[in-house]
Amino acid sequence: MAPLKNEAGGGHGLVFIFTPSASIAGATSSNHLGLFNRTNNGNQKNHVFGIEFDVFQNQEFNDINSNHVGVDVNSLTSTYSHPAGIWNENGKDFDELKLNNAVNYQVWVDYLNPQLNVSMGVAGKKRPSKNMISVDYDLTDVLLDEMFVGFTAATGRLFQNHRILAWSFSNSNSSISELLINTNLPSFVEPKSSVFRSVRFIVGIIVSSMIVIGLGTGVYVFLAKRRLLLKKKREAMEDWELEYWPHRINYQDIESATNGFSDEFVIGIGGNGRVYKGVMMGGIQVAVKRISHENDQGITEFLAEVSSLGRLQHRNLVALRGWCKRDRGSLILVYDYMENGSLDKRVFECEDSLLLSWEERMRVLKDVAAGILYLHEGWESRVLHRDIKASNVLLDKEMNGKLGDFGLARMHGHGHQAASTTRVIGTVGYMAPEVIRTGRASAQTDVFGFGILILEVVCGRRPIEDGKVPLVDWVWGLMEKGELLSALDARLKAKGGFDSDEVERILQLGLLCAYPDLSVRPTMRQVLKLLEGEHVAYELDEEGMEVCLLDKMKSTAMWSNYLLKSSYGGHPTFEQLRDSLSSSVSLTASDIITEGR
């Protein structure tokens, strides 16, 4: 853990947790560490066990200091806590270790009912002989038969970097920690001023430098000028090439990985170039996108992907490994290889053996929603994808969905509007009405695209097909007639394995996301919670009340009642939905998650 540069104090810390759910439901940020909120902190039904590494003394949780390790059971008020540090070999002297000084530490947590041991030390050194925390605590009523293991942290007004360089877990092998590689790890400690300040050292350096410079200046200047000239001619270096991570990859390595960009290695052809499968050194499989230089759009797409996806890291975004620009006409992007291809090849016109089940389709939609939520809220700038569709969703070997193709992506600051463009950007069938009218995209534009994605994944139909009614109009017509379940993919319906109520709820969510008035669409945070089957509060500021979206969406009759009143000939507005409710489910402000962890 380390405070960001020029930020004093640091953040709140992190927690190693056992939890019955991987969902973000019921968690708030800041001092709650993305683990609990004010209403459920201390609830015995949480079934959460954690080891906290706390760097902020919070009187609310009776913290002993601002640098301690604690045992948390269903609450952030630690059952046991101890200043962070290490016992010397003699077991009598205790040296404090500062948690957020950017030093790499290793922590050992052992539990053999009821004995709980926690110790820590500098990474690369052996485990201390005496534990920092050693207590008896029976976790039988806390740990369930199946639990998720991992880490959680959160930011608020205080923030810092948290890095988990390696970790291991086993419920049977007590020596698994010995398998971790804890040496030669990257260092994140800010460099100190040079230690070579003695007069003798400085004089020696000066004399040696003068000798070397005097002897080698002529040869160096000649070779440097010649090399620089050749490099500029070959690559035409530009300023942006020095700015963006990840670093460029050697062209020869990419050429070798794709067998000279052989046609046999082609796995896809897009509007601005081909995509090849490649095998890098070490047997690492990659996807290589060679962007066409025949038009300016190809260069724009290349820069958009390097500048956006190159700096984003999320498990539901396709990872960009690197890039290469051999010359102005050879632009290459290298991604992680997705073994199961794109989503459209598993939903449209595919063999039955490749067809995704209902459970798999729902998991992919949740994955994509989580990725979009990260783009909108989880990074220092808001990222608008602007081209969300089935062919841009890729599936890894475990069939996890990952959003890719950031060629149309744009970034802008939180709280600021994206600039309008002079031409329409996007794919026909997925573009929101306001983009066509004004050329201006927003987070709600991506929500519209995700709504279309929901409908095509559930229905097994593309948004626009020759000789057929557009997908949104078709689904809306079925709902108007009370036959919404008929929109489900016929092949999926034949296989079974779905819940009719869930299908209707997801289709209604798709229609709500694709509502023509952007102010009525839900946020991606609300969408993700609805996909996870939770009730979501939508706040109506003008009346200071909250209405449960999920309850409204389940009422097909209510949607139909407002069909005649809606100026759009279809979807009702939130105000109309509100007026039709004789009663509603009210959620308190603490139940609404406004900040992610």
Side-chain angles (χ1 to χ4, degrees):
M1 293 186 286
L4 298 183
K5 190 174 182 180
N6 300 324
E7 291 292 335
H12 293 274
L14 60 85
V15 188
F16 169 66
I17 59 169
F18 287 72
T19 175
S21 171
S23 170
I24 63 174
T28 56
S29 61
S30 301
N31 56 329
H32 286 93
L33 298 177
L35 187 57
F36 302 117
N37 61 43
R38 294 185 182 276
T39 63
N40 64 12
N41 185 52
N43 190 335
Q44 298 301 313
K45 296 182 180 180
N46 290 334
H47 292 287
V48 172
F49 165 70
I51 303 297
E52 71 171 23
F53 303 88
D54 201 340
V55 294
F56 183 85
Q57 185 173 11
N58 195 315
Q59 300 299 327
E60 178 182 354
F61 304 130
N62 299 322
D63 289 341
I64 59 175
N65 61 23
S66 61
N67 188 69
H68 66 272
V69 179
V71 178
D72 297 344
V73 179
N74 296 320
S75 171
L76 287 173
T77 301
S78 298
T79 305
Y80 302 96
S81 60
H82 195 281
I86 183 173
W87 289 98
N88 289 339
E89 289 296 327
N90 58 21
K92 296 181 179 180
D93 299 321
F94 185 79
D95 295 330
E96 184 173 347
L97 297 177
K98 187 172 177 60
L99 290 174
N100 63 343
N101 61 356
V103 172
N104 296 329
Y105 294 119
Q106 183 170 358
V107 179
W108 295 264
V109 179
D110 299 326
Y111 179 70
L112 183 60
N113 195 19
Q115 185 70 34
L116 173 65
N117 295 324
V118 181
S119 57
M120 68 177 294
V122 177
K125 296 185 178 181
K126 66 178 183 179
R127 182 173 183 173
S129 57
K130 182 177 180 180
N131 295 310
M132 180 176 52
I133 295 177
S134 183
V135 297
D136 288 340
Y137 196 96
D138 189 353
L139 295 175
T140 303
D141 295 331
V142 178
L143 300 179
L144 304 178
D145 291 338
E146 294 184 359
M147 301 287 284
F148 290 87
V149 184
F151 301 85
T152 180
T155 59
R157 294 184 178 180
L158 304 178
F159 45 89
Q160 64 186 13
N161 284 323
H162 304 89
R163 298 180 175 90
I164 307 298
L165 302 183
W167 71 294
S168 61
F169 168 77
S170 175
N171 59 2
S172 59
N173 182 5
S174 60
S175 60
I176 191 173
S177 63
E178 298 174 4
L179 302 178
L180 283 178
I181 299 175
N182 56 11
T183 58
N184 298 321
L185 298 174
S187 175
F188 303 99
V189 179
E190 290 290 334
K192 299 180 180 179
S193 58
S194 175
V195 297
F196 303 106
R197 294 183 176 180
S198 66
V199 175
R200 291 183 180 180
F201 180 81
I202 295 175
V203 172
I205 289 294
I206 293 175
V207 173
S208 300
S209 299
M210 291 179 65
I211 294 174
V212 172
I213 293 173
L215 294 176
T217 298
V219 176
Y220 174 80
V221 171
F222 172 77
L223 293 178
K225 286 186 176 181
R226 183 173 181 273
R227 184 171 58 251
L228 183 61
L229 180 61
L230 292 175
K231 187 176 182 179
K232 283 184 175 291
K233 287 182 178 180
R234 184 176 67 252
E235 299 184 291
M237 291 289 288
E238 299 177 41
D239 292 340
W240 63 264
E241 297 183 54
L242 304 176
E243 179 181 356
Y244 295 122
W245 181 93
H247 299 298
R248 62 189 302 165
I249 299 176
N250 185 275
Y251 178 83
Q252 285 71 28
D253 292 341
I254 300 176
E255 187 177 40
S256 175
T258 58
N259 194 23
F261 297 99
S262 170
D263 290 343
E264 298 177 357
F265 284 61
V266 174
I267 57 175
I269 300 177
N272 286 310
R274 294 185 170 190
V275 180
Y276 300 81
K277 179 181 178 180
V279 181
M280 305 292 285
M281 293 182 61
I284 300 174
Q285 293 184 327
V286 295
V288 178
K289 185 176 184 179
R290 197 176 192 185
I291 297 178
S292 171
H293 60 279
E294 296 178 355
N295 55 61
D296 292 338
Q297 181 60 26
I299 298 176
T300 301
E301 176 183 328
F302 176 81
L303 293 177
E305 297 223 25
V306 172
S307 62
S308 58
L309 187 57
R311 293 185 287 178
L312 300 172
Q313 294 182 344
H314 190 273
R315 63 187 181 90
N316 297 124
L317 301 181
V318 176
L320 179 65
R321 285 184 169 269
W323 55 273
C324 176
K325 185 176 83 73
R326 189 184 187 190
D327 51 52
R328 295 188 68 87
S330 183
L331 309 175
I332 299 170
L333 296 168
V334 181
Y335 311 88
D336 283 344
Y337 179 69
M338 297 291 108
E339 289 82 351
N340 284 304
S342 58
L343 177 60
D344 60 326
K345 293 182 173 61
R346 296 277 182 160
V347 175
F348 311 128
E349 301 97 23
C350 63
E351 299 178 2
D352 290 343
S353 61
L354 299 178
L355 188 69
L356 294 184
S357 66
W358 173 254
E359 182 180 354
E360 289 172 327
R361 298 186 194 206
M362 283 300 300
R363 184 174 64 184
V364 170
L365 288 175
K366 293 175 184 177
D367 289 342
V368 176
I372 301 173
L373 177 60
Y374 170 75
L375 295 178
H376 290 181
E377 301 183 16
W379 198 52
E380 62 187 30
S381 297
R382 171 168 287 177
V383 180
L384 306 180
H385 188 278
R386 304 202 301 174
D387 199 19
I388 298 169
K389 56 185 178 182
S391 60
N392 286 342
V393 176
L394 301 178
L395 307 173
D396 64 13
K397 60 182 179 181
E398 282 87 25
M399 301 301 290
N400 297 310
K402 296 178 182 288
L403 185 60
D405 198 339
F406 282 66
L408 300 183
R410 290 294 181 272
M411 292 180 291
H412 64 86
H414 291 284
H416 296 84
Q417 285 188 333
S420 59
T421 59
T422 56
R423 61 191 183 91
V424 176
I425 299 293
T427 303
V428 175
Y430 299 87
M431 289 185 293
E434 67 270 14
V435 174
I436 299 175
R437 291 195 307 267
T438 68
R440 186 184 299 278
S442 67
Q444 298 309 102
T445 302
D446 282 350
V447 173
F448 184 94
F450 184 74
I452 302 299
L453 178 67
I454 290 178
L455 297 181
E456 61 179 350
V457 168
V458 175
C459 302
R461 272 189 52 181
R462 302 182 190 277
I464 296 180
E465 295 181 356
D466 291 339
K468 294 183 179 180
V469 177
L471 179 58
V472 176
D473 296 341
W474 179 64
V475 176
W476 172 249
L478 290 175
M479 187 170 72
E480 178 188 356
K481 295 185 291 186
E483 301 174 0
L484 191 55
L485 191 61
S486 300
L488 180 63
D489 189 337
R491 296 169 300 169
L492 189 58
K493 188 181 298 183
K495 293 177 63 175
F498 59 88
D499 179 82
S500 299
D501 290 339
E502 184 180 28
V503 172
E504 292 190 355
R505 178 172 60 86
I506 298 304
L507 284 170
Q508 290 169 349
L509 175 60
L511 290 173
L512 188 62
C513 291
Y515 192 85
D517 184 352
L518 62 88
S519 65
V520 178
R521 299 171 201 154
T523 65
M524 283 309 303
R525 181 171 295 277
Q526 291 175 316
V527 171
L528 182 58
K529 289 173 71 66
L530 285 171
L531 286 173
E532 292 176 344
E534 302 176 31
H535 285 214
V536 179
Y538 180 83
E539 186 172 352
L540 301 172
D541 293 332
E542 67 273 13
E543 295 191 15
M545 62 180 292
E546 294 165 355
V547 178
C548 183
L549 283 180
L550 189 56
D551 286 348
K552 293 186 296 186
M553 288 170 48
K554 286 182 178 179
S555 177
T556 305
M558 182 180 59
W559 289 76
S560 299
N561 288 340
Y562 279 96
L563 176 61
L564 297 177
K565 296 182 180 180
S566 175
S567 61
Y568 291 93
H571 306 60
T573 65
F574 277 81
E575 289 74 13
Q576 293 169 337
L577 291 170
R578 177 201 62 200
D579 295 338
S580 70
L581 291 174
S582 58
S583 62
S584 64
V585 177
S586 178
L587 302 178
T588 63
S590 60
D591 293 321
I592 306 171
I593 298 178
T594 57
E595 295 183 72
R597 58 178 170 178

